[in-house]
Structures are given as structure tokens and as C-alpha cells.
């Protein structure tokens, strides 16, 4: 600080010296004496006076920041008409006149009364004029001049920003431009070196450098590695005076970050990864993860994984988790512990994006070995076939073997298997299975015509672990047996026209019949039609087999008449082609009808006749008459029943109820009123004079009769009982119910006295207990107690 003040003082002295010299020069060059008058005679004898400018100047100078004890002399004004007698007065006006700049009106000396700052204002414009002191008449025209503030180096350089941030790629070449910093100086750049700046680096060597004139920061070291150090702090200085000693300076901080380039290949931290997978795992399940480390970041650090070799390439796959940059090993196909217990994979990790400038640092990939062990689990049994189809003949006896299912335990333990049928698929329980060998048998005969196929499910479970079970579908086909005889395919009915004996017979069949068989086609067609043997020579009709599972019925004669018989029932035997064949007899109804001359049907008689058998018309009439008589009897019986009179009064069954109240407290005797609480014998409802019955719901309440109030607790029990009996007898609401109430108290003056036998041995008694000897062994104890005294007396 002291050196700074000394420097300012030296500069001020130098400025004053220069100013004094300049002012002297100005006076010699510009302040010239003026001629106040030149008298000439005019044409008319007048004297002409010509005035001439007496002063001319350009500029005055004053040094800024002057801090001396006396005001600074800026300059001196003087007119050449000033003779020094004090008659001329100098006046100063303009910018700062009277405040910053003052003038001595006699001598014309101008002084600066305040410290000036060129950075605030570089120059001032003033007006000077010389006037007569007494009259203030201008002696000279006013003249303008400029006072310039001369610069000194009083402002340090300042940067545009306090801090700068810049990025540069790692591994950049030496001299790579990073950023340009710029500083400014408020001093006058046209005067001296006060504003001439020079840049230098204070911190950040040897990594960076700065150009002295431009402020451009460049890299100074090759192959700077971001992975080793990512951020650098650089301090740049700007110094004026061209960097020479005595100049002022300013600094700024620059934070330089190295950006990433792909200069590092991925690398696995270990050479072998150990993993395991359960044989019960399903495809798509994650087995494990591997990760190759890449110190690069962003897209330069992206890694993709692939399986390039190994005996498990068909069973496993690997995907890339781009969030964690891990390789996820997954199961592609199921594995079997019993088949193979370990697999090996060769996994490669490679960068997704490769920078060609750093290809020489490659290869940008790495490989690792992944060993996967298969863990054994308790697997359910496996059937040898995914499904089974068995056959059994219908009507086969119970216990017939249908077929067998077979399963085994795939585990190394090879646990025994037990079989069972899922009863939800065999609700009728047609089948049973041997739990040990898997043979399926029938439990009842089957009917193919009801169900041709039966589908069941069979379970196979380990004996030692019932939770491990497998299920297989079993389809059972019921084979056909020829157990159904063929029948008419429809209820056929034929018609024949009545005709004369002389009319020829037609070659057309009366009706063509066909048959149907519930059995399979192997046991059905071909059908054979014929007449029963007993009527094979039937004179009326005959049957001709067409050998196409149909047959035609023809008339053997003519002359059918409705008056004789209008209905014929023709039995036809139908046989199938099964082994052995089955046959049935079906009846064909043939009606005799009236026809026109062309053979068209006109009318038929509906009365039916059976060949040589059936009911006559008279029998049918008799049956109908009997039915009518029975209906009339039933109607009469019902009518008589309704006419009976019902009893006027309905007697309800007498409701007999018994209430037995037992008190098992013996007390301390009849005279003991302290041990027995007589209040328990009293009905608390009777205190108010009303005693409701508990066995019925009373229809109305009655007022108790006067005088029948309950006795206090101190009365005797016999009075209490008599009172209750009287109230019950006089209760008009009480129907004739039987109510038994037992009280274990006999009252005073009882002939029996005390029932206690505690003092029986010491008390004389007039009672004779000899009869107890005759009551048998059950009363032997009583006989010994009460009859011993007499026996003892007799013995004595």
C-alpha cells in the first residue's frame, strides 16, 4: 500500500511538471497580446476601431486521483490587454465551474478542488471570458477550452465471469483448445500500458497452459485419463502494464472436466462364475448374473453379453440388463439331474460402441467361464405314455382286466409308486385299479349302447411323499357284443283294398319294412326278414326279403272284406348278422280299406282284430259298464260324507301339568329357625297380593281377596302352607290343573318326632322294629341298627 501511494505521488509530480511545460508552451504559442485599437480615418472623418482576439488555447490536463494537500493547478488564463493593474476580471463557466474548477479572477489561475476519476469522466468543457472589473463589460469574446483528466493505472483487470466451466475429451493431443477467458481493464487503453493485459496460469500446471495475449487455455500433457482424474481446477491471472512489475492483476477460476471416450475394454473381475439351477425350474427362470466392469461411462460403457461356446448352449441363454449392465443367464429348456448334473458356458462381454481412434487399445471384449450345477429335486412320477387307450367287451363280468398304466420315479431314489383312480372322473365307479401294479379292472358289466367310451384319470404318487403325484388320462372303449335284437325302424302300418275273388293280385308290396339295431354295424346288418315258422304258410300274406336290409309284404290272395275282418296283425321275424345272430318278432298292422276303381284309398274301419284271438265287442261293453257303476258309487259315498253334521263343541284334550317342587334342605330340626331360611318357601310375587301361575298364561288378572295376605317371615311353616293352599283354591283363573307341591316339613307336634337317627341309640323308643328282620337282606343294616337292642336284652 505504501509503494502504491509513492507511485501515485511520483506520477502526480511528473504530471504537474509536464503540465507546467505544456502550459508555458501554450502561452508562448497561443497566448498572444491583443491589440485593443487601431484608429483609421474614414471617408467621413470617423475613426474606425478594429478588435482582435487576444487568446487561443486547445486543452488543459490534470492527473486523476491526485491526493496532494493543495489544489492542483490546471492552468492560467491571461489576456494580452491585461496590464496587471487589476482592472480585468476573469470569469469561468461551463462543466464543473465553481465546484470542481475555480479561477482566480485577478490572475486567471485555474485550480481543481476535488480528486478526479478518469473512469467516471474523462474531460470537462469550460468557457473563459475577460470582463471589465468595474462595469463587467466583456473585453474579449468568450472562448471554449477542454480540461482532460489524465489517466493513471488505478484499475485492476477484471474477468467477465468469476468462474468458468469447460470440457475437453480425455486422451486429447497437446495444445487442444479448451476455453478462452477474457478480462477487461477500466484504464485508458490509449495512454500508456495501464490497460495492456497479459494472461498467465497460476494453478493447473503441468496439465494446462494459457496464451498470454488471447487467454486461450490449452492442454499441456498428452493422454490425460478421465478414469484416473476427471476434474481439474485452473487459476488464470490477467495483469496490466504489459505484465511488468507494478502492474495490477485479477484472477479467475476455471473448472475443466475430462469427458469420456471409449478407451477401456470391458473386463470380468473373475475368470469363473459358479451357478446352480433346480431341475424343477421352468424355462425363462433366472439362473444367475455376470458383470464385466467397464470404467467408461455413458454409451462408451454399454456392454452386451453372448454365449459363444459350451455344452449348455441349447439349454441356457443370456440377456443384457442395460440398467445394471449385467448379463442375466436364464433357463431355455428344462434340465434333468438324472441325465446330466453340470453344464459349462463360455460368455463374452463386448462394448456396444467402439471409437475407431482407440481401436488399437482393443479388443474391446472379454470372456468368462460359467459353470452351472443342476440341483436334484423330488420330482413327481412320470407315466411311460402321455395317455392310454384300453378296450373291454360289454357285458364282461366284474373283475375283467381292462389294461394297465405304468409310471416310475425319475429321481435317483426310485421310490415305489401307488396308483389310484380320480373318482371325479368315475362317478359310477365302473373301474378299480391295483395300487401296486396299475392294472385296471371292471367292477360291473358295461353296456356299449349306453356309453361307448369311458374316460377316467389315474393318479400315480410316491409312497413316501404323497404330494408328489402325476396324472394321466385313460380312455376305455367298450367293444360291442351282439346283445340287441333288430326291430322295426318305424311303427309300420299297411293297407289293402277289399276286392272280389275274381280280381287279380297286384305285384306291388302292401308295405316295405326296414329294421334298426342298437349294436355296432358288425353285429347289425345284414337283416333277414321272414314269417314265424308256425305261420310260414299263412294263406293271407307273405314276406319277401329284398336282401338290402328291407323286405316287402305281399298279399297271397284276393277277396278281402271289411265285413268279415278289417284288421290283420302279421308277425314278422327279423334276424341280424351278428355272431351268434339275434332275432325278434315284430307285428305289422294291415288294415282292409275301401278303394275306388283305380285302387285309391277311400276309407278304413278302425275296429281291430287279432288273428284268432282278442276281445269281442260285448266284452268291451261289459267292462265299460262296470267302470261307470264304480264311479257312481264313489260319488254317492262322497256326497253322504259331506252331509254329516259336525259336532258343535270341539273338546280339547285336557292339559294336565304337574309341578313338583322339592326342597332337599333338612335344616337343624323343627325348632332351628336360624339355619333354615323360610323365605325360600315363599313366592316373592305373592307379596303384592298377586300370584301368577307359571304353567299357563292367564287371560286376565284378579284382585286378591281381602284377608288373604301373605304372612311375614316369622310365621310358622304350616300357616304359610295353609295360606298358599287357600289362595290356590280360591283362584278363579286357575283351570283344573293338578299341581303337586311337596314340603319337607311336618309342623309342630308331629307324632313321628325327629327323623334324625343321631341319638337313637341313647333314646328310649316305644316303636317295635322287629318287622325289619322280615324285609330281606336289603334292610339288614336297618334291622341291625334298630333291632340290636332287643336282641341284646334277650340274650342277657
Amino acid at each position: 500500500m505504501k509503494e502504491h501511494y509513492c507511485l501515485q505521488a511520483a506520477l502526480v509530480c511528473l504530471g504537474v511538471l509536464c503540465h507546467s511545460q505544456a502550459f508555458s508552451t501554450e502561452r508562448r504559442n497561443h497566448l498572444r497580446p491583443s491589440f485593443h485599437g487601431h484608429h483609421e480615418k474614414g471617408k467621413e472623418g470617423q475613426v474606425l476601431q478594429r478588435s482582435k482576439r487576444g487568446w487561443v488555447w486547445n486543452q488543459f490536463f490534470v492527473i486523476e486521483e491526485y491526493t496532494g494537500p493543495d489544489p492542483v493547478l490546471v492552468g492560467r488564463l491571461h489576456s494580452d490587454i491585461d496590464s496587471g493593474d487589476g482592472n480585468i476580471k476573469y470569469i469561468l463557466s461551463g462543466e464543473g465551474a465553481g465546484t470542481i474548477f475555480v479561477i482566480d479572477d485577478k490572475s486567471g489561475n485555474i485550480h481543481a478542488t476535488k480528486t478526479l476519476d478518469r473512469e467516471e469522466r474523462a474531460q470537462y468543457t469550460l468557457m473563459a471570458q475577460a470582463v471589465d472589473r468595474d462595469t463587467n463589460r466583456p473585453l474579449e469574446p468568450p472562448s471554449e477550452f477542454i480540461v482532460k483528466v489524465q489517466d493513471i493505472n488505478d484499475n485492476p483487470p477484471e474477468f467477465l465471469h468469476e468462474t468458468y466451466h469447460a470440457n475437453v475429451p480425455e486422451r486429447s493431443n497437446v495444445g487442444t483448445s479448451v476455453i478462452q477467458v477474457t478480462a477487461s481493464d477500466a484504464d485508458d487503453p490509449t495512454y500508456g500500458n495501464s490497460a495492456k493485459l497479459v494472461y498467465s496460469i497460476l494453478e493447473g500446471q503441468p496439465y494446462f497452459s494459457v496464451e498470454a495475449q488471447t487467454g486461450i487455455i490449452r492442454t499441456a500433457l498428452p493422454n490425460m485419463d478421465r478414469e484416473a482424474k476427471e476434474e481439474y481446477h485452473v487459476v488464470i491471472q490477467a495483469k496490466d502494464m504489459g505484465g511488468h512489475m507494478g502492474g495490477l492483476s485479477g484472477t479467475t477460476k476455471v473448472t475443466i472436466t475430462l469427458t469420456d471416450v471409449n478407451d477401456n475394454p470391458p473386463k470380468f473381475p473373475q475368470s469363473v462364475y459358479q451357478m446352480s439351477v433346480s431341475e424343477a425350474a421352468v424355462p425363462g427362470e433366472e439362473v444367475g448374473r455376470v458383470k464385466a466392469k467397464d470404467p467408461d461411462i455413458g454409451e462408451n460403457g454399454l456392454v452386451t453379453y453372448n454365449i459363444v461356446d459350451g455344452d449348455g448352449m441349447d439349454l441356457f441363454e443370456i440377456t443384457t440388463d442395460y440398467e445394471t449392465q449385467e448379463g442375466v443367464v436364464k433357463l431355455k429348456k428344462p434340465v434333468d439331474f438324472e441325465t446330466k448334473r453340470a453344464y459349462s458356458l463360455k460368455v463374452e462381454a463386448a462394448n456396444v460402441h467402439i471409437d475407431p481412434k482407440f481401436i488399437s487399445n482393443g479388443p474391446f471384449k472379454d470372456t468368462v467361464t460359467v459353470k452351472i450345477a443342476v440341483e436334484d429335486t423330488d420330482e413327481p412320477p412320470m407315466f411311460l405314455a402321455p395317455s392310454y387307450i384300453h378296450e373291454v367287451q360289454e357285458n364282461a363280468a366284474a373283475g375283467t382286466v381292462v389294461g394297465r398304466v405304468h409310471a416310475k420315479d425319475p429321481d435317483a431314489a426310485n421310490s415305489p409308486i401307488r396308483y389310484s383312480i380320480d373318482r371325479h372322473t368315475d362317478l359310477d365307479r365302473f373301474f378299480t385299479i391295483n395300487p401296486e401294479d396299475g392294472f385296471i379292472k371292471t367292477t360291473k358289466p358295461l353296456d356299449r349302447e349306453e356309453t361307448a367310451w369311458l374316460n377316467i384319470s389315474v393318479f400315480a404318487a410316491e409312497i413316501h411323499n404323497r404330494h408328489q403325484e402325476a396324472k394321466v388320462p385313460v380312455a376305455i372303449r367298450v367293444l360291442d357284443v351282439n346283445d340287441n335284437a333288430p326291430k322295426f325302424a318305424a311303427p309300420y302300418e299297411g293297407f289293402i283294398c277289399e276286392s272280389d275273388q275274381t280280381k287279380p293280385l297286384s305285384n306291388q308290396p302292401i308295405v316295405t319294412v326296414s329294421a334298426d339295431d342298437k349294436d355296432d354295424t358288425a353285429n347289425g346288418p345284414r337283416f333277414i326278414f321272414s314269417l314265424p315258422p308256425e305261420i310260414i304258410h299263412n294263406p293271407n300274406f307273405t314276406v319277401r326279403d329284398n336282401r338290402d336290409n328291407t323286405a316287402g309284404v305281399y298279399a297271397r290272395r284276393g277277396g278281402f272284406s271289411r265285413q268279415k275282418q278289417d284288421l290283420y296283425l302279421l308277425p314278422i321275424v327279423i334276424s341280424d348278422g351278428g355272431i351268434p345272430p339275434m332275432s325278434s318278432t315284430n307285428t305289422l298292422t294291415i288294415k282292409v280299406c275301401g278303394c275306388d276303381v283305380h285302387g285309391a284309398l277311400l276309407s278304413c274301419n278302425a275296429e281291430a282284430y287279432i288273428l284268432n284271438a282278442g276281445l269281442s265287442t260285448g266284452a268291451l261293453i261289459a267292462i265299460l259298464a262296470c267302470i261307470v257303476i264304480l264311479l257312481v258309487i264313489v260319488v254317492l259315498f262322497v256326497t253322504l260324507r259331506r252331509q254329516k253334521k259336525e259336532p258343535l263343541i270341539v273338546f280339547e284334550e285336557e292339559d294336565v301339568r304337574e309341578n313338583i317342587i322339592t326342597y332337599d334342605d333338612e335344616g337343624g330340626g323343627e325348632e332351628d329357625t336360624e339355619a333354615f331360611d323360610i323365605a325360600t318357601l315363599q313366592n316373592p310375587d305373592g307379596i303384592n297380593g298377586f300370584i301368577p301361575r307359571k304353567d299357563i298364561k292367564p287371560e286376565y288378572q284378579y284382585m286378591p281377596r281381602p284377608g288373604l295376605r301373605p304372612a311375614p317371615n316369622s310365621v310358622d311353616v304350616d300357616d304359610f302352607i295353609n295360606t298358599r293352599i287357600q289362595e290356590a283354591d280360591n283362584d278363579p283363573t286357575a283351570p283344573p290343573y293338578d299341581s303337586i307341591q311337596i314340603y319337607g316339613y311336618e309342623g309342630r307336634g308331629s307324632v313321628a318326632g325327629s327323623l334324625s337317627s343321631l341319638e337313637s341309640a341313647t333314646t328310649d323308643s316305644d316303636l317295635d322294629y322287629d318287622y325289619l328282620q322280615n324285609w330281606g337282606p336289603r334292610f339288614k343294616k336297618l334291622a341291625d341298627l334298630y333291632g340290636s337292642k332287643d336282641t341284646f336284652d334277650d340274650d342277657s
Side-chain angles (χ1 to χ4, degrees):
M1 182 65 68
K2 184 177 180 181
E3 293 177 354
H4 179 68
Y5 288 148
C6 293
L7 177 63
Q8 283 189 346
L11 290 175
V12 168
C13 294
L14 179 62
V16 170
L17 180 62
C18 293
H19 171 69
S20 300
Q21 184 178 0
F23 183 72
S24 299
T25 304
E26 288 287 337
R27 292 192 63 186
R28 288 195 302 268
N29 294 333
H30 300 288
L31 296 181
R32 293 171 295 185
S34 61
F35 297 94
H36 294 281
H38 177 68
H39 300 279
E40 293 181 358
K41 278 187 178 182
K43 294 180 179 180
E44 296 179 354
Q46 297 178 355
V47 178
L48 299 177
Q49 183 177 1
R50 183 179 64 180
S51 62
K52 183 179 179 182
R53 191 175 204 83
W55 50 14
V56 177
W57 62 86
N58 291 328
Q59 294 177 350
F60 289 138
F61 295 89
V62 61
I63 296 176
E64 67 171 337
E65 304 293 345
Y66 175 71
T67 57
D70 299 325
V72 178
L73 177 62
V74 177
R76 182 181 181 185
L77 301 180
H78 184 72
S79 176
D80 53 0
I81 63 174
D82 185 4
S83 59
D85 54 3
N87 294 326
I88 295 177
K89 178 181 180 181
Y90 297 97
I91 299 174
L92 185 66
S93 63
E95 297 174 346
T99 57
I100 300 176
F101 302 101
V102 296
I103 189 171
D104 187 349
D105 58 356
K106 292 182 179 181
S107 63
N109 292 332
I110 302 173
H111 291 84
T113 61
K114 294 182 179 180
T115 302
L116 302 180
D117 189 358
R118 190 200 67 85
E119 285 70 38
E120 292 183 1
R121 188 160 187 168
Q123 64 182 19
Y124 298 85
T125 302
L126 298 172
M127 299 290 291
Q129 190 174 24
V131 298
D132 186 270
R133 183 176 296 275
D134 297 328
T135 63
N136 286 331
R137 181 176 62 87
L139 301 177
E140 291 288 343
S143 182
E144 183 180 88
F145 66 95
I146 296 173
V147 177
K148 286 189 175 182
V149 181
Q150 191 172 3
D151 182 55
I152 64 172
N153 189 18
D154 60 342
N155 290 282
E158 293 183 358
F159 285 91
L160 299 180
H161 305 284
E162 293 183 2
T163 58
Y164 290 84
H165 295 275
N167 298 323
V168 64
E170 64 174 334
R171 307 287 182 182
S172 296
N173 296 327
V174 175
T176 302
S177 175
V178 179
I179 190 175
Q180 182 178 14
V181 294
T182 304
S184 62
D185 196 322
D187 294 325
D188 189 0
T190 62
Y191 180 78
N193 294 327
S194 297
K196 185 178 181 180
L197 305 181
V198 174
Y199 299 93
S200 62
I201 184 168
L202 300 182
E203 295 181 14
Q205 300 96 341
Y207 306 102
F208 300 95
S209 63
V210 62
E211 292 183 358
Q213 304 301 324
T214 62
I216 297 176
I217 302 174
R218 300 181 183 274
T219 57
L221 283 182
N223 298 323
M224 284 191 293
D225 191 3
R226 185 198 66 84
E227 288 73 32
K229 186 175 182 180
E230 183 177 6
E231 192 173 81
Y232 295 85
H233 298 282
V234 179
V235 178
I236 302 296
Q237 181 190 64
K239 191 173 183 180
D240 58 13
M241 299 298 293
H244 294 92
M245 183 176 295
L248 302 179
S249 64
T251 60
T252 185
K253 293 182 180 179
V254 182
T255 301
I256 301 176
T257 303
L258 297 182
T259 58
D260 185 62
V261 297
N262 190 10
D263 58 338
N264 294 281
K267 192 73 176 176
F268 285 104
Q270 58 194 68
S271 60
V272 179
Y273 283 87
Q274 299 287 345
M275 300 180 183
S276 62
V277 61
S278 173
E279 63 177 342
V282 297
E285 187 171 334
E286 181 178 327
V287 178
R289 295 189 173 214
V290 297
K291 184 174 183 179
K293 294 184 178 180
D294 191 335
D296 297 324
I297 60 175
E299 66 175 13
N300 298 320
L302 295 179
V303 180
T304 181
Y305 298 87
N306 293 291
I307 299 176
V308 296
D309 196 6
D311 55 1
M313 294 183 63
D314 296 334
L315 299 176
F316 300 93
E317 62 182 356
I318 190 169
T319 59
T320 304
D321 186 347
Y322 288 103
E323 292 185 1
T324 61
Q325 291 297 302
E326 293 177 319
V328 184
V329 181
K330 295 182 179 180
L331 184 66
K332 186 163 65 172
K333 295 181 181 179
V335 293
D336 186 12
F337 175 81
E338 288 70 30
T339 302
K340 192 171 183 179
R341 302 187 179 184
Y343 295 90
S344 178
L345 301 175
K346 187 176 182 181
V347 176
E348 179 186 78
N351 279 136
V352 177
H353 303 283
I354 298 177
D355 193 340
K357 293 187 295 184
F358 303 99
I359 195 68
S360 59
N361 294 356
F364 286 85
K365 57 186 176 180
D366 192 17
T367 58
V368 71
T369 300
V370 178
K371 293 184 178 181
I372 303 175
V374 180
E375 297 179 349
D376 186 24
T377 57
D378 191 6
E379 300 178 82
M382 294 180 57
F383 284 94
L384 301 185
S387 61
Y388 292 87
I389 299 178
H390 297 306
E391 295 179 346
V392 63
Q393 287 189 345
E394 66 173 331
N395 300 329
T400 302
V401 176
V402 176
R404 183 188 182 188
V405 295
H406 186 64
K408 66 176 182 179
D409 184 12
D411 297 322
N414 194 17
S415 300
I417 306 298
R418 294 187 67 85
Y419 303 92
S420 61
I421 295 176
D422 185 2
R423 290 306 174 186
H424 293 92
T425 61
D426 186 23
L427 297 176
D428 296 325
R429 297 184 177 270
F430 288 121
F431 305 99
T432 184
I433 190 170
N434 191 316
E436 297 178 357
D437 54 19
F439 280 99
I440 301 173
K441 297 181 180 180
T442 60
T443 59
K444 61 182 73 174
L446 304 177
D447 187 1
R448 189 202 69 85
E449 285 69 40
E450 291 184 1
T451 305
W453 285 89
L454 294 170
N455 298 305
I456 63 174
S457 297
V458 175
F459 290 112
E462 297 179 9
I463 293 180
H464 303 297
N465 187 359
R466 300 292 295 178
H467 297 288
Q468 294 292 346
E469 64 178 10
K471 187 177 181 180
V472 68
V474 180
I476 301 173
R477 179 184 179 186
V478 182
L479 300 178
D480 185 51
V481 175
N482 193 18
D483 58 346
N484 290 280
K487 295 181 180 180
F488 277 151
Y492 294 105
E493 190 174 23
F495 303 93
I496 187 171
C497 295
E498 59 180 348
S499 60
D500 298 334
Q501 294 284 349
T502 60
K503 290 184 179 180
L505 296 175
S506 174
N507 291 327
Q508 297 295 328
I510 299 172
V511 65
T512 300
V513 297
S514 63
D516 189 13
D517 195 335
K518 293 182 179 180
D519 293 324
D520 198 1
T521 55
N523 293 317
R526 121 166 156 80
F527 299 120
I528 300 174
F529 300 86
S530 63
L531 293 176
E534 61 270 14
I535 60 169
I536 193 171
H537 299 293
N538 186 290
N540 299 319
F541 305 99
T542 184
V543 176
R544 297 177 187 176
D545 195 336
N546 297 328
R547 298 183 179 275
D548 60 354
N549 296 326
T550 64
V553 179
Y554 296 86
R556 283 190 170 184
R557 66 179 180 85
F560 290 94
S561 174
R562 284 182 291 175
Q563 285 75 18
K564 292 182 180 181
Q565 187 174 349
D566 61 353
L567 184 66
Y568 293 89
L569 300 178
L570 180 64
I572 299 177
V573 178
I574 308 175
S575 301
D576 59 21
I579 301 174
M582 294 195 69
S583 62
S584 65
T585 301
N586 300 266
T587 302
L588 176 65
T589 301
I590 302 175
K591 292 182 179 181
V592 180
C593 303
C595 303
D596 58 10
V597 295
H598 300 290
L601 185 65
L602 294 178
S603 63
C604 298
N605 191 349
E607 186 174 352
Y609 292 90
I610 302 177
L611 295 179
N612 299 327
L615 295 175
S616 63
T617 304
L620 292 175
I621 294 174
I623 292 172
L624 291 175
C626 292
I627 293 173
V628 172
I629 293 172
L630 290 174
L631 290 174
V632 171
I633 293 173
V634 171
V635 171
L636 292 174
F637 179 75
V638 172
T639 303
L640 292 175
R641 290 279 294 179
R642 290 183 177 178
Q643 291 179 355
K644 289 184 178 181
K645 295 182 179 179
E646 296 182 357
L648 298 176
I649 300 175
V650 179
F651 295 95
E652 298 180 354
E653 294 181 3
E654 185 178 2
D655 187 4
V656 178
R657 303 185 184 181
E658 296 180 357
N659 293 335
I660 300 177
I661 303 173
T662 304
Y663 300 92
D664 295 330
D665 191 351
E666 294 184 1
E670 293 146 341
E671 300 298 330
D672 185 5
T673 60
E674 297 296 330
F676 181 79
D677 187 6
I678 196 172
T680 58
L681 299 178
Q682 295 182 352
N683 188 354
D685 296 332
I687 298 176
N688 296 327
F690 171 69
I691 304 176
R693 295 186 62 88
K694 298 181 180 180
D695 51 348
I696 64 171
K697 181 179 180 181
E699 298 180 357
Y700 62 92
Q701 297 181 353
Y702 73 99
M703 297 299 295
R705 296 178 61 186
L708 298 179
R709 296 180 181 177
N713 293 340
S714 61
V715 301
D716 198 7
V717 178
D718 53 349
D719 295 335
F720 170 77
I721 294 174
N722 293 330
T723 303
R724 290 290 180 264
I725 293 174
Q726 186 177 5
E727 289 176 356
D729 293 339
N730 296 324
D731 186 5
T733 62
Y737 292 110
D738 291 339
S739 178
I740 299 177
Q741 298 179 352
I742 299 175
Y743 298 92
Y745 184 75
E746 294 185 3
R748 293 175 180 164
S750 174
V751 178
S754 175
L755 298 179
S756 176
S757 60
L758 296 177
E759 297 177 356
S760 299
T762 59
T763 308
D764 295 336
S765 176
D766 298 331
L767 297 177
D768 186 6
Y769 297 100
D770 292 340
Y771 59 88
L772 295 175
Q773 299 292 339
N774 300 324
W775 281 15
R778 293 186 177 180
F779 297 92
K780 185 176 183 300
K781 187 67 175 178
L782 291 175
D784 294 340
L785 291 174
Y786 295 98
S788 60
K789 183 176 183 299
D790 297 337
T791 305
F792 179 77
D793 294 338
D794 294 339
D795 293 340
S796 60

